[in-house]
Amino acid sequence: KQEVTQIPAALSVPEGENLVLNCSFTDSAIYNLQWFRQDPGKGLTSLLLIQSSQREQTSGRLNASLDKSSGRSTLYIAASQPGDSATYLCAVSPGTASKLTFGTGTRLQVTL
Amino acid sequence: SAVISQKPSRDICQRGTSLTIQCQVDSQVTMMFWYRQQPGQSLTLIATANQGSEATYESGFVIDKFPISRPNLTFSTLTVSNMSPEDSSIYLCSVGGPGNEKLFFGSGTQLSVL
């Protein structure tokens, strides 16, 4: 059974700092990995999707990497802003349109 | 990307009653998923709703407790039946995007059972 773990569970950083969120999964037979952002009352927003054959994806200040063989992914956020405050979830999929296994989430707070 | 409307956004219900949550998508999609997020926990898949066939439930979830309808390719409902306080959670529907890779989520239904 796939298990996904995220470290740290919570993180507080001052504005402008670069930060890294970690995600690990136990079964390397994944199709893709997604990073989501969850805001209270607003559901989940997909940030980045990395195919199993890819090493990284970038969108603006966000960069996600994937090391499938070691079962790890990182989400790098550059120059953090208070608007980045949210819970970040990683999730892995065993196949297309397939059910996701979610991590436990990292609650990020960026302070002024 | 798909736009998903989920209703209600929140509700407070009495023990023993049932609540039906609606999920409307702005485009036709083959598969829709229902997730539950218990307080302080991550998301857990309840079932996959396929148009034209019965929903497929994950381990620990049964149709009698969480009946699902999927009358067409843009709409689905999830009912939480005979509710107890343990059912207090956020319930979210999601759909696969083009190529069925990315998943898009509704804004969720915050359910509190007294």
Side-chain angles (χ1 to χ4, degrees):
Chain A
K1 177 184 175 183
Q2 178 74 271
E3 293 184 2
V4 182
T5 305
Q6 291 184 245
I7 295 174
L11 181 63
S12 181
V13 300
E15 181 180 16
E17 196 164 292
N18 302 325
L19 58 101
V20 175
L21 307 181
N22 296 291
C23 171
S24 62
F25 46 95
T26 55
D27 186 350
S28 62
I30 64 169
Y31 184 77
N32 61 41
L33 181 147
Q34 292 186 63
W35 282 92
F36 292 88
R37 168 183 174 143
Q38 185 175 27
D39 295 278
K42 294 185 179 180
L44 275 70
T45 302
S46 180
L47 298 173
L48 290 165
L49 180 148
I50 310 178
Q51 300 290 359
S52 61
S53 59
Q54 296 175 325
R55 297 284 294 181
E56 66 177 337
Q57 282 287 327
T58 298
S59 176
R61 294 183 294 109
L62 305 179
N63 175 275
S65 68
L66 174 64
D67 185 342
K68 182 181 170 184
S69 61
S70 67
R72 294 180 182 178
S73 176
T74 62
L75 179 66
Y76 175 82
I77 302 177
S80 58
Q81 303 170 358
D84 295 330
S85 298
T87 297
Y88 291 81
L89 298 165
C90 71
V92 296
S93 168
T96 57
S98 202
K99 56 192 179 185
L100 299 182
T101 300
F102 279 84
T104 47
T106 294
R107 189 171 64 253
L108 172 65
Q109 182 174 11
V110 181
T111 59
L112 292 171
Chain B
S1 65
V3 177
I4 303 170
S5 300
Q6 191 172 332
K7 297 179 183 179
S9 58
R10 60 177 59 241
D11 207 343
I12 301 173
C13 301
Q14 296 297 319
R15 182 195 300 260
T17 62
S18 298
L19 175 71
T20 295
I21 303 168
Q22 299 180 2
C23 182
Q24 178 75 52
V25 190
D26 67 344
S27 59
Q28 293 185 340
V29 293
T30 304
M31 300 174 76
M32 298 178 74
F33 306 92
W34 286 98
Y35 285 84
R36 179 178 74 179
Q37 186 176 30
Q38 294 178 299
Q41 305 294 316
S42 193
L43 281 76
T44 301
L45 181 66
I46 297 172
T48 302
N50 304 307
Q51 196 271 334
S53 63
E54 283 196 3
T56 304
Y57 289 83
E58 297 300 306
S59 175
F61 298 96
V62 295
I63 188 172
D64 289 346
K65 176 66 176 177
F66 298 102
I68 289 172
S69 78
R70 183 80 198 276
N72 56 54
L73 291 174
T74 63
F75 187 78
S76 178
T77 67
L78 170 75
T79 298
V80 186
S81 303
N82 188 25
M83 289 183 286
S84 67
E86 292 70 34
D87 294 319
S88 297
S89 298
I90 298 173
Y91 293 85
L92 300 106
C93 69
S94 71
V95 303
N100 285 323
E101 293 183 346
K102 270 192 177 183
L103 280 196
F104 299 93
F105 282 80
S107 55
T109 297
Q110 174 76 62
L111 171 62
S112 298
V113 184
L114 304 178

